[in-house]
Amino acid sequence: MKTFRYLENVSTLLLDQEGCIGCGMCTAVCPHQVFTMENKKSSIQDLDACIECGACASNCPVAVITVTPGVGCASYIIQTWIKGRDAVIECC
Amino acid sequence: MSLQTELKPMQELPMAQSSEPCCGPPLEPPSKQYEKAGYAVSPYTKSFIKKANRYIPQIKTNLCLGDRLGSIRVRLGVNRSAYKIPPGIYCTGTPDHDSPVLVSANYKLSFDTLRSELKEVACWILVLDTRGVNVWCAAGKKTFSTDELIRQVKECNIEQLVLHRDLIVPQLGAPGISAHQVKKECGFKITWGPIRARDIQHFLANDRKPWAAMREMTFTVMERLVLIPLEIVLTIRPVLIILALLLLVSGINNDIFSFDQALIRWPFIAGGLGLGLFGGTVLVPLFLPWIPGRSFYLKGLITGLSCVLPLTLLKLNSLQPFEHLAIIMTALGISSYAAMNFTGATPFTSPSGVEKEMRRGIPLQIICCLIALAAWVTTPFLGI
């Protein structure tokens, strides 16, 4: 998303390129075009566009992508502070 | 001529042979096989088609007035959590065993958006039980999930309906669904469909290959505009409580409390609150890309200030300097907080980023509100 940029250097996204099999699934599921394919390996081309939705990590068949997934929503985070991370949280 | 010869016997009367009874509806047709005791046919169901020994609802692809009013209602936040349809299998047109299977959520707004884009498309629609939440949010909460998809594929016996083993899942469902696990556990391969329902026909026509624009998230003025009513509605309850508290503190003076003083002063601080809310819930979403700063709490400070400054520049003679300060600080704190809460409605904020800005924004908002409260309460004592 070129028109909207959020905070920089905050994403928890990590890719272990060694183990990548080049299936391209991460490029297909990422809604912000964070990944690109180079020489049959995926690489992170735009880390600051990452919203940590977790689509890439849950769809990587060799599990070389890790991210702390979550919801980028202030009222949701406030509730996790109050009720704890595992609580059932009512929001949108 | 006797009466008896004039009248024909009962059984020869035409009325007895026709299907018209003496009163009530006609005898024909009898109840349909798909009508079941305790169930009602939903208004979006056009008919039923019989496939693999069962009746599958064939749904309408045009929305009626009720659907549109329902959309407006949930956009206003009225009874939003109950706006859902039963999960299971539906179809549009007359699909066969080669027709695509589209997967969706059981939020009625999502379902309506999808079916209205399926004119002249014959397909199966597998609706997951996301508790009435849209695909993106449900995927984040893991109700639009691998397990739920596998469960519905099995429960609805999708393999009896189609010969292929492909499911088209909206790309925004990917955070909740692991394609390789679905393939492993039920044999169906997932093709990631476009983000927006309006692209689905092009996607199908293009050999199920999306082009770049279908894969990219957008957040246009219209997409932001429809979110504003809900942002406002969600603030109503806390705002009413704050307004009541402000009425109380507006009356505090040397004689402990004066209701007359409260009534005179209250509208000004309530105005500050209102302007702050307007800045945070209306101006921030509307002018989002053009407001400086990346953090939402900063954007909120800017819009809050731009709303409240004209009011204080009016040089209202009845107001003291401290009161001006209180009004400005109220607007800033509220606008910043409301703007920060809008992060949840945007498609480009990360939880790490939101948490980072909250650690800076919330202390600032609390300071603003405390200064506002202190300045507002002390004015009647100090006269400044």
Side-chain angles (χ1 to χ4, degrees):
Chain A
M1 191 180 261
K2 285 132 206 150
T3 30
F4 295 98
R5 303 294 294 182
Y6 196 46
L7 308 189
E8 289 176 353
N9 298 318
V10 289
S11 174
T12 54
L13 179 71
L14 291 170
L15 163 70
D16 173 18
Q17 233 175 358
E18 292 268 302
C20 175
I21 55 167
C23 69
M25 192 55 104
C26 51
T27 59
V29 295
C30 178
H32 288 283
Q33 290 69 49
V34 168
F35 299 93
T36 184
M37 295 300 287
E38 284 169 0
N39 304 323
K40 294 189 177 173
K41 292 266 184 196
S42 173
S43 74
I44 297 172
Q45 63 159 351
D46 190 1
L47 181 72
D48 292 331
C50 175
I51 58 169
E52 300 171 309
C53 68
C56 51
S58 61
N59 280 286
C60 177
V62 286
V64 294
I65 302 173
T66 56
V67 64
T68 309
V71 187
C73 169
S75 61
Y76 184 91
I77 293 171
I78 290 174
Q79 289 189 63
T80 59
W81 287 352
I82 299 167
K83 299 178 188 170
R85 271 203 181 272
D86 303 319
V88 180
I89 287 159
E90 294 294 323
C91 80
C92 39
Chain B
M1 197 185 279
S2 75
L3 203 66
Q4 275 187 330
T5 53
E6 252 186 286
L7 280 177
K8 288 174 182 168
M10 268 305 273
Q11 60 267 34
E12 286 176 22
L13 281 173
M15 207 173 127
Q17 286 156 354
S18 89
S19 62
E20 291 292 323
C22 57
C23 54
L27 299 175
E28 294 296 334
S31 291
K32 299 279 192 300
Q33 270 178 292
Y34 55 74
E35 292 181 72
K36 288 182 182 171
Y39 296 82
V41 175
S42 48
Y44 47 78
T45 303
K46 191 161 98 187
S47 174
F48 286 80
I49 62 163
K50 200 175 179 190
K51 274 275 152 77
N53 262 335
R54 56 200 160 117
Y55 290 95
I56 292 167
Q58 182 190 45
I59 56 172
K60 295 173 188 168
T61 52
N62 48 341
L63 303 182
C64 66
L65 183 66
D67 300 321
R68 293 178 200 281
L69 292 176
S71 301
I72 294 171
R73 196 193 82 205
V74 291
R75 289 291 190 191
L76 290 168
V78 180
N79 211 4
R80 202 162 47 113
S81 55
Y83 203 54
K84 53 188 173 187
I85 59 154
I89 186 81
Y90 297 81
C91 70
T92 57
T94 314
D96 57 22
H97 48 65
D98 290 324
S99 302
V101 181
L102 309 182
V103 179
S104 190
N106 76 330
Y107 184 32
K108 183 156 182 294
L109 191 63
S110 309
F111 182 69
D112 285 353
T113 310
L114 178 61
R115 67 191 171 98
S116 67
E117 296 293 344
L118 293 172
K119 294 183 178 68
E120 293 157 40
V121 178
C123 67
W124 305 101
I125 303 173
L126 184 63
V127 174
L128 306 191
D129 183 7
T130 59
R131 321 297 195 268
V133 172
N134 67 69
V135 171
W136 171 244
C137 291
K141 289 177 171 184
K142 310 292 180 228
T143 50
F144 191 90
S145 67
T146 307
D147 290 346
E148 170 62 8
L149 178 56
I150 294 167
R151 188 179 80 86
Q152 290 292 352
V153 164
K154 290 180 177 168
E155 202 140 289
C156 297
N157 280 317
I158 303 300
E159 45 196 34
Q160 286 182 355
L161 297 176
V162 291
L163 291 174
H164 63 78
R165 292 292 175 262
D166 291 308
L167 300 170
I168 297 172
V169 179
Q171 187 193 337
L172 289 190
I177 286 178
S178 177
H180 55 276
Q181 271 186 38
V182 173
K183 170 88 178 158
K184 202 169 84 183
E185 288 183 46
C186 70
F188 276 82
K189 181 181 169 286
I190 285 177
T191 304
W192 298 107
I195 286 179
R196 286 162 293 269
R198 66 160 186 264
D199 289 329
I200 192 76
Q201 293 211 39
H202 301 295
F203 171 82
L204 293 172
N206 193 38
D207 208 17
R208 299 186 193 180
K209 287 186 181 66
W211 49 82
M214 288 188 195
R215 286 247 177 278
E216 240 180 277
M217 210 93 113
T218 56
F219 204 34
T220 60
V221 171
M222 268 315 286
E223 283 170 330
R224 300 196 300 273
L225 208 63
V226 295
L227 301 174
I228 293 175
L230 186 62
E231 289 296 312
I232 296 170
V233 169
L234 288 177
T235 65
I236 289 177
R237 200 187 297 178
V239 161
L240 288 178
I241 296 170
I242 297 171
L243 283 175
L245 292 174
L246 287 177
L247 184 65
L248 275 180
V249 297
S250 297
I252 298 173
N253 63 7
N254 284 322
D255 306 322
I256 299 173
F257 186 82
S258 152
F259 196 66
D260 289 342
Q261 180 192 308
L263 280 184
I264 293 165
R265 296 181 76 217
W266 180 72
F268 294 102
I269 197 78
L273 178 77
L275 290 170
L277 274 176
F278 182 75
T281 59
V282 179
L283 296 188
V284 166
L286 202 55
F287 299 109
L288 192 64
W290 305 291
I291 304 167
R294 292 207 174 165
S295 292
F296 283 62
Y297 82 95
L298 286 177
K299 287 177 187 281
L301 287 178
I302 293 168
T303 54
L305 193 65
S306 55
C307 285
V308 77
L309 268 189
L311 180 79
T312 57
L313 292 178
L314 281 177
K315 295 220 187 332
L316 296 166
N317 288 333
S318 56
L319 289 182
Q320 302 291 340
F322 259 39
E323 289 178 313
H324 278 296
L325 179 70
I327 293 168
I328 292 172
M329 285 298 161
T330 304
L332 288 182
I334 296 294
S335 179
S336 175
Y337 184 75
M340 205 179 68
N341 267 327
F342 189 62
T343 52
T346 70
F348 67 99
T349 53
S350 62
S352 296
V354 175
E355 197 154 343
K356 185 180 176 184
E357 77 159 274
M358 284 168 73
R359 293 193 188 283
R360 293 174 186 182
I362 289 178
L364 196 75
Q365 290 148 13
I366 292 174
I367 290 170
C368 284
C369 292
L370 287 179
I371 293 175
L373 187 67
W376 193 250
V377 174
T378 50
T379 301
F381 295 96
L382 305 175
I384 52 172

